[in-house]
Amino acid sequence: MNDTARDASADPRDPGALHTPVLLDRCLELLAPAIDRPGAVVVDATLGMGGHSEAMLDARPELTLIGLDRDTEALALAGRRLERFGDRAILVHAVYDEIAEAVRGAGFDRIDGVLFDLGVSSLQLDDADRGFAYAQDAPLDMRMDQERGVTAFEILATASEGRLRAIFERYGEEPLAARYARAIVAARANGPIMRSGELVDVLQEATPAAVRNQRHPAKRVFQALRIEVNGELSVLERAIPAALDLLAVGGRAVIMSYQSLEDRLVKRELVRRSRSTAPAGLPVELPEHRPEFRLLTRGAELADTEERERNPRAIPVRLRAAERAREIS
């Protein structure tokens, strides 16, 4: 969830109108020992509108930042925000599993820090025409990169009932997945479901009254569709190992997730990399078996009450961080 909620009166196309990004101070604190080094290079793998990047570049005059985003509109806005830093800010149109290619393309083999602020950005949520928000009627697009890929409308129009059910179960953890998939297939027989409002109506109609009073029936379905459209979990499964591999010894990774599926993937990889590989029963741990990484957080950290009240989009955040302890051959 890149950047933050903005003032209702702010110009949504003015990157300077944004409030402080989610967990900004904590991110900077965790990254500081790595990016304070002379000639340090940091990757903001989810640039958004550049709030975290701007703060890092402002605080460290020698820092070089490589910012990645698949959303061309976000890149343009971040470019305006970061243009005063000149060639210290290198912006790349890329999905974050392309991090290694982006770093090499910028002329570097190693990096000192990497930041992931996962999920859908404020820009995408607040732009009704993108179709991410179930509370706003809009064309069912949901692509983070509007230059390529299949839209949510196309998935709803072509996927079988079984595939829709699987998408809602896996990516939305939706207990009514079968019911919703069946309702969508029945509804599209009368005409395509082209807009978010139409999909919400179908889901509302298919939801038992008792459940409808407990939660919005569209929340998990929209999350699942967004993840499917953008391949978010498969991209993340590739991106986290690739980013960790790029870190120099002493380099740090800070990763913020906003839903349990993302956080599980992040936790699994960080825990795996921070364990000894020594066989059980060895009296002494040999250097080659020592953990590659050291965890910097005890479990996942949450936003405090003050930040949650100031910025509701920080409520679900889960932050994890790790430091590279040694190279591997």
Side-chain angles (χ1 to χ4, degrees):
M1 174 116 21
N2 308 336
D3 292 306
T4 62
R6 56 170 71 89
D7 188 294
S9 63
D11 178 357
R13 293 299 175 266
D14 177 8
L18 299 173
H19 292 163
T20 303
V22 172
L23 293 178
L24 176 63
D25 292 341
R26 183 57 173 149
C27 289
L28 295 180
E29 177 186 12
L30 286 164
L31 287 168
I35 66 176
D36 282 345
R37 299 189 287 201
V41 177
V42 65
V43 175
D44 186 340
T46 47
L47 181 65
M49 286 173 281
H52 289 97
S53 291
E54 181 180 45
M56 288 188 281
L57 289 165
D58 263 332
R60 290 159 179 84
E62 295 185 10
L63 182 67
T64 297
L65 180 134
I66 303 170
L68 314 183
D69 210 292
R70 66 169 78 184
D71 188 327
T72 54
E73 186 177 4
L75 278 173
L77 289 168
R80 285 168 45 197
R81 187 174 194 163
L82 304 178
E83 62 184 350
R84 61 191 173 93
F85 298 108
D87 59 8
R88 292 176 54 215
I90 302 167
L91 307 190
V92 184
H93 181 215
V95 185
Y96 42 76
D97 64 342
E98 300 170 317
I99 184 171
E101 294 87 341
V103 168
R104 287 195 296 267
F108 301 97
D109 295 319
R110 286 292 196 198
I111 59 175
D112 301 281
V114 62
L115 173 68
F116 285 87
D117 189 8
L118 300 169
V120 64
S121 75
S122 297
L123 172 67
Q124 292 156 348
L125 278 174
D126 292 344
D127 186 344
D129 291 340
R130 304 291 290 271
F132 286 100
Y134 54 81
Q136 299 172 306
D137 184 42
L140 280 165
D141 191 318
M142 294 194 188
R143 291 173 300 167
M144 293 179 179
D145 183 348
Q146 292 192 296
E147 295 185 352
R148 57 184 173 179
V150 176
T151 66
F153 159 70
E154 291 172 294
I155 290 172
L156 290 173
T158 61
S160 68
E161 181 179 328
R163 185 182 171 209
L164 289 173
R165 175 179 178 172
I167 290 170
F168 301 156
E169 286 178 338
R170 182 179 180 192
Y171 299 144
E173 299 180 296
E174 173 53 70
L176 298 177
R179 190 183 188 109
Y180 289 155
R182 187 163 56 249
I184 288 168
V185 170
R188 77 188 186 193
N190 299 318
I193 303 170
M194 301 181 67
R195 300 185 65 85
S196 55
E198 295 169 352
L199 177 57
V200 169
D201 288 344
V202 171
L203 298 173
Q204 291 273 23
E205 182 66 25
T207 304
V211 176
R212 197 182 309 149
N213 294 332
Q214 295 172 6
R215 60 179 173 86
H216 198 293
K219 182 176 181 179
R220 293 175 179 175
V221 169
F222 271 61
Q223 172 184 296
L225 282 171
R226 190 201 81 218
I227 290 172
E228 173 70 12
V229 166
N230 296 288
E232 291 177 45
L233 294 185
S234 58
V235 168
L236 186 61
E237 282 185 306
R238 297 187 295 270
I240 299 303
L244 296 179
D245 288 344
L246 287 167
L247 287 169
V249 173
R252 292 188 166 200
V254 175
I255 307 165
M256 291 185 284
S257 307
Y258 293 83
Q259 41 99 346
S260 60
L261 298 173
E262 292 172 339
D263 186 54
R264 284 178 213 155
L265 288 178
V266 174
K267 176 183 177 181
R268 183 179 67 200
E269 185 64 15
L270 292 184
V271 168
R272 184 180 75 82
R273 296 282 192 114
S274 61
R275 284 177 174 159
S276 171
T277 60
L282 274 187
V284 177
E285 182 183 54
L286 299 174
E288 60 266 29
H289 292 303
R290 290 173 185 160
E292 286 181 69
F293 283 84
R294 176 174 68 92
L295 298 180
L296 300 173
T297 55
R298 186 184 296 274
E301 294 186 356
L302 312 179
D304 61 24
T305 301
E306 180 182 347
E307 178 150 10
R308 289 171 175 230
E309 291 177 351
R310 183 176 68 249
N311 177 15
R313 291 182 182 172
I315 291 172
V317 70
R318 301 290 185 270
L319 181 149
R320 297 180 187 272
E323 179 184 79
R324 179 177 277 283
R326 69 172 182 90
E327 291 283 5
I328 58 171
S329 54

